[in-house]
Amino acid sequence: MAGLSEPFTVGDLTVPNRIVMAPMTRTASPGGVPGPDVAEYYARRAAHQVGLIISEGTYVNRPAAGAYDNVPHFYGESALAGWAHVVRRVHEAGGRIIPQLWHTGAARTATEPPADVPSGIGLDGAPLGRAMTQRDIDDAVAAFAEAAATAERLGFDGVEVHGAHGYLIDNFLWGVTNRRTDRYGGEPASRARFGAEVVRAVRAAVSPGFPVFFRLSQWKVGQYEARTAQNPDELAHLLTPLADAGVDVFHGSTRRYWQPEFEGSTLNLAGWMRKLTGRPAVTVGSVGMDQQYGEGDFTSGFTGPSGVTGIDELVARLERDEFDLVAVGRSLLANPDWAALALRGELARAVPYDPSVLQTLA
């Protein structure tokens, strides 16, 4: 697996190989505070040669940012002390880690405070929350920037801005949930304005060499056939403002990495991101999982078992420079040593994913 074992550098960050731990919400931080068990969960993967860890989504300091209980916060003395310990343990284990900064937007169902959304519309097109005012937008941008500065202060190796899956930034990117008539709505480049403002503020809040990743998807939670961009041209108009604002690496979140994103090309979403922007890209989607499994609802992929499959095609695409990094999710939940096995060409020893692993931070 020579391609996987090559180091990768972006800004001041160098990772020893191309394997990334994908961000996966674990709801294992009571009161929003990541405890020692969270630190050891990440450190185990670092000790087994994961090149870069992207943390589970962590809420920025905005009242309506959260939608789910026991998700870690990225603000407050106790939560930040917990994250500082996570960073120490990962670094002691030889790894690198960046936090994923998250505002859940339309995923929020609580009414107090109401959900922050672009147009008072949820993912299903029904009324939800309230349309954000300019002050709301400015405050949300500031919350992301504050979190990024905090990440650098705590010793993280970069940050990822969560702009995917039907959460706040994605709500602005997607025409279904963004029906604004001001400068944040309308054409794709205008719908990307909020995300670009977040990225620009994050970029300004950290050192020049501190890498900024940005995660984007077509699918949304509960809307698996959704398409933010219908074609490469529309995708380019969404990505260009984000790249210009300072994204160093794009993370194309797909359910199955081997599926083409648009007709007429074998490129997946990460491949198109790299082609259109010239920036490095992370691919993700059922890596190491039985490709015949999970053809239905995405969440069923977490509630049912899955077999192990090889990654020869994945590595071939990596070596053709379709993308630069490979994010692994469920396979790393079932096998904390998955990266080491992959790098040694020993994935036949990996155990299949079973949803029972979700019950603990093993």
Side-chain angles (χ1 to χ4, degrees):
M1 299 299 176
L4 282 179
S5 64
E6 293 180 1
F8 173 79
T9 297
V10 57
D12 292 337
L13 171 65
T14 296
V15 294
N17 60 63
R18 304 304 179 95
I19 299 174
V20 175
M21 182 176 183
M24 291 173 283
T25 298
R26 300 308 311 272
T27 60
S29 297
V33 178
D37 56 342
V38 174
E40 295 311 307
Y41 161 76
Y42 288 121
R44 270 189 292 277
R45 275 78 186 169
H48 286 295
Q49 296 181 264
V50 169
L52 176 66
I53 292 168
I54 305 176
S55 83
E56 61 206 284
T58 178
Y59 296 151
V60 298
N61 189 10
R62 169 83 180 156
Y68 315 109
D69 293 333
N70 300 323
V71 167
H73 299 170
F74 214 74
Y75 59 89
E77 184 177 350
S78 296
L80 296 181
W83 280 119
H85 182 60
V86 171
V87 173
R88 284 194 299 271
R89 287 294 299 118
V90 168
H91 286 171
E92 287 169 358
R96 299 290 181 267
I97 183 170
I98 66 176
Q100 186 186 70
L101 307 180
W102 191 19
H103 186 309
T104 62
R108 182 176 175 82
T109 57
T111 57
E112 288 299 328
D116 285 332
V117 287
S119 305
I121 297 170
L123 299 179
D124 59 359
L128 177 75
R130 65 177 184 185
M132 294 175 74
T133 65
Q134 185 64 55
R135 181 171 180 177
D136 293 331
I137 289 171
D138 293 344
D139 286 351
V141 168
F144 277 96
E146 176 189 18
T150 299
E152 185 170 28
R153 175 172 60 82
L154 293 179
F156 280 92
D157 301 292
V159 292
E160 176 167 276
V161 174
H162 197 341
H165 303 165
Y167 301 121
L168 180 62
I169 295 175
D170 192 21
N171 300 155
F172 276 85
L173 294 171
W174 194 30
V176 171
T177 44
N178 184 351
R179 303 184 189 177
R180 298 176 74 101
T181 57
D182 62 4
R183 64 197 186 109
Y184 294 98
E187 295 301 313
S190 296
R191 299 200 308 269
R193 185 185 301 274
F194 173 66
E197 288 184 358
V198 169
V199 171
R200 189 171 293 109
V202 164
R203 179 77 275 160
V206 298
S207 301
F210 195 70
V212 176
F213 288 57
F214 188 95
R215 198 176 211 207
L216 185 144
S217 69
Q218 298 268 37
W219 65 272
K220 327 298 175 191
V221 174
Q223 302 281 336
Y224 301 108
E225 303 308 316
R227 297 187 68 78
T228 305
Q230 299 297 324
N231 52 61
D233 184 64
E234 188 173 357
L235 181 62
H237 282 91
L238 290 168
L239 294 176
T240 298
L242 298 167
D244 290 347
V247 171
D248 295 299
V249 180
F250 282 101
H251 185 174
S253 180
T254 55
R255 298 162 67 194
R256 303 171 188 100
Y257 77 83
W258 58 88
Q259 293 184 338
E261 192 57 46
F262 301 112
E263 290 185 7
S265 170
T266 60
L267 292 177
N268 66 12
L269 182 59
W272 276 107
M273 289 174 153
R274 193 179 194 276
K275 178 182 176 69
L276 293 171
T277 68
R279 304 296 165 86
V282 185
T283 196
V284 70
S286 302
V287 173
M289 309 284 286
D290 183 348
Q291 296 186 6
Q292 300 304 310
Y293 177 76
E295 291 300 320
D297 187 287
F298 180 69
T299 56
S300 69
F302 287 88
T303 58
S306 177
V308 175
T309 192
I311 57 171
D312 289 346
E313 178 188 352
L314 176 77
V315 173
R317 295 171 78 154
L318 175 69
E319 292 175 345
R320 291 198 302 267
D321 294 326
E322 181 175 330
F323 37 74
D324 303 271
L325 296 164
V326 174
V328 184
R330 287 166 289 170
S331 294
L332 263 172
L333 294 183
N335 300 271
D337 61 345
W338 189 93
L341 293 175
L343 292 169
R344 294 197 302 265
E346 298 177 2
L347 283 180
R349 295 176 53 194
V351 301
Y353 169 81
D354 187 277
S356 62
V357 301
L358 298 176
Q359 305 306 311
T360 65
L361 288 177

